[in-house]
Amino acid sequence: MPQRAPLLTPGAVSPRRPVPASTPRPEYVDRPRPAPHRGSHVPPAEVVERMRTACRIAAQAAAEAGRHVQPGTTTDAVDAVVHEFLLDHGAYPSTLGYRGFPKSCCTSVNEVVCHGIPDDRPLAEGDLCSVDVTAYVVLDGLGVHGDTCATFGAGELDEASALLLERARAATDRGIAAVRPGREVNVIGRVVEAAARRHGYGSVREYTGHGISTSFHSGLVIPHHDAAPAHAEVIETGMTFTVEPMITEGSPAVDLWDDGWTVVTRDRGRTAQFEHTVLVTDTGAEVLTLP
Ligand code: MF3
Ligand code: CO
Ligand code: CO
């Protein structure tokens, strides 16, 4: 059973990877913030159709990244894999230049909850590493995003880390299975948090799922804890949003590093995350982020 690596420290971030001028980019790139989302949380059919493509590419890129989560590989090298994969498939890495984020995916290792910046730290045997990939594609002039995240183990995991990973996946799947038109959005987090608590885990509150379509974050918020009576918006057929709980071994309280991005558990316990973009159907949710 591998020993756990020491706590993370900030590493060196490589220069920004170029994107050919021929790859269309979202409007927010290199602006301070995205333009506010206009329109409803139920995108029209032509948007959903394009999201299927964006979501599939994002899922394939994340799976490819996962094959590179190995002891000795740096998270920067994982980022390079995601970057090249997206460009090769005609997609722009939505995180690159989003509110100043410098890389083409988020890599969040061990006690990093989310928004980890890929850097020069080589992964150690037994590390958990989540890779969060968002792809932006423009098809016939219409640009859309697809957002997904999965946690992978580098080499052999200690048993507690392996359990955390699988139970985080299960909690995400439970949350998605609770989606049904007519229910309140807060049903999702209630189910996720209950699934986490059953194992003594926490579910982070400060970072949530979100509506997604032509905007990366459309303004609809999907909590991963029991937020009732808040977040009582009614789920409607045709909505598109993410479910992306961050499940913690210990307390779900978080701290932010001085880089303004890296979110860590306050108790420095380990954490794991899975994310899917879903489309609400008449009977439940269809997961769009499948390879
Ligand atoms: N993909 C993340 C999400 O699930 C957002 C990353 S924003 C970044 O919403 F700027 F940190 F990259
Ligand atoms: Co997301
Ligand atoms: Co994401």
Side-chain angles (χ1 to χ4, degrees):
M1 198 70 89
Q3 274 207 311
R4 291 186 171 192
L7 296 181
L8 273 276
T9 54
V13 179
S14 66
R16 185 158 164 166
R17 296 196 155 80
V19 177
S22 55
T23 303
R25 60 204 65 206
E27 54 76 27
Y28 56 71
V29 173
D30 294 330
R31 295 179 194 270
R33 63 191 61 78
H37 180 74
R38 299 181 186 291
S40 90
H41 298 303
V42 178
E46 59 267 27
V47 168
V48 173
E49 188 190 311
R50 286 159 178 76
M51 285 181 69
R52 291 181 183 283
T53 301
C55 287
R56 186 178 58 245
I57 293 169
Q60 290 171 341
E64 182 61 21
R67 291 188 271 275
H68 292 262
V69 171
Q70 299 290 345
T73 304
T74 66
T75 50
D76 185 64
V78 173
D79 178 73
V81 166
V82 170
H83 185 83
E84 293 307 323
F85 189 97
L86 293 178
L87 295 187
D88 284 350
H89 290 78
Y92 181 92
S94 303
T95 61
L96 187 65
Y98 177 77
R99 296 179 185 265
F101 191 83
K103 288 288 155 194
S104 299
C105 62
C106 301
T107 53
S108 302
V109 175
N110 298 341
E111 71 274 14
V112 180
V113 167
C114 63
H115 303 170
I117 302 173
D119 66 17
D120 65 348
R121 178 187 178 278
L123 291 164
E125 175 89 19
D127 278 351
L128 290 173
C129 179
S130 78
V131 184
D132 190 339
V133 177
T134 314
Y136 177 76
V137 297
V138 178
L139 296 163
D140 301 318
L142 188 52
V144 302
H145 300 266
D147 191 4
T148 192
C149 172
T151 298
F152 305 95
E156 192 196 343
L157 295 179
D158 64 84
E159 188 180 5
S161 294
L163 285 171
L164 176 66
L165 186 154
E166 284 313 322
R167 290 163 172 173
R169 191 197 315 272
T172 308
D173 292 346
R174 291 289 186 103
I176 293 169
V179 171
R180 203 156 302 172
R183 291 182 173 173
E184 294 178 4
V185 159
N186 58 36
V187 71
I188 299 167
R190 184 152 59 249
V191 165
V192 167
E193 191 175 42
R197 287 231 176 125
R198 213 169 293 137
H199 306 292
Y201 298 156
S203 184
V204 169
R205 297 172 174 238
E206 287 83 352
Y207 300 87
T208 67
H210 50 93
I212 181 170
S213 56
T214 52
S215 297
F216 191 171
H217 298 99
S218 73
L220 177 67
V221 171
I222 312 291
H224 303 119
H225 68 283
D226 186 0
H231 297 279
E233 298 83 3
V234 174
I235 297 171
E236 291 175 49
T237 299
M239 278 181 164
T240 49
F241 54 77
T242 71
V243 179
E244 51 175 301
M246 291 133 271
I247 302 300
T248 58
E249 233 185 337
S251 160
V254 297
D255 283 336
L256 184 64
W257 277 6
D258 290 340
D259 63 14
W261 282 110
T262 308
V263 179
V264 292
T265 54
R266 184 158 295 167
D267 65 10
R268 304 299 191 261
R270 286 192 167 194
T271 168
Q273 181 181 23
F274 290 83
E275 173 178 26
H276 284 298
T277 298
V278 305
L279 167 69
V280 180
T281 66
D282 287 335
T283 53
E286 178 186 353
V287 174
L288 300 183
T289 35
L290 296 176

